[in-house]
Amino acid sequence: MSMLDKLKGMLKGHEDQARQGVEKGGDMIDQRTGNKYQSQVDAAQKQAEDYIERERRQGNPPQ
């Protein structure tokens, strides 16, 4: 089982907490890099949130 599969399993049923973690993680990266990569971090946050929402709407929380 890959690390990604393990992470997906941990997220199952905890979508709101996952969103908060994505937001906090991105903020931490921005802070530590002095916002040097802010646009890339924001794009990654958006993709992660879109994935979580898409899976929730399909009734398939991340596995």
Side-chain angles (χ1 to χ4, degrees), residues 16-29:
D16 292 335
Q17 291 173 329
R19 281 190 196 94
Q20 290 175 355
V22 167
E23 185 67 31
K24 286 182 181 181
D27 291 346
M28 182 186 70
I29 292 169

Side-chain angles (χ1 to χ4, degrees), residues 5-21:
D5 291 335
K6 288 180 184 180
L7 286 173
K8 287 180 181 180
M10 290 171 39
L11 293 176
K12 188 174 185 178
H14 303 281
E15 293 83 8
D16 292 335
Q17 291 173 329
R19 281 190 196 94
Q20 290 175 355

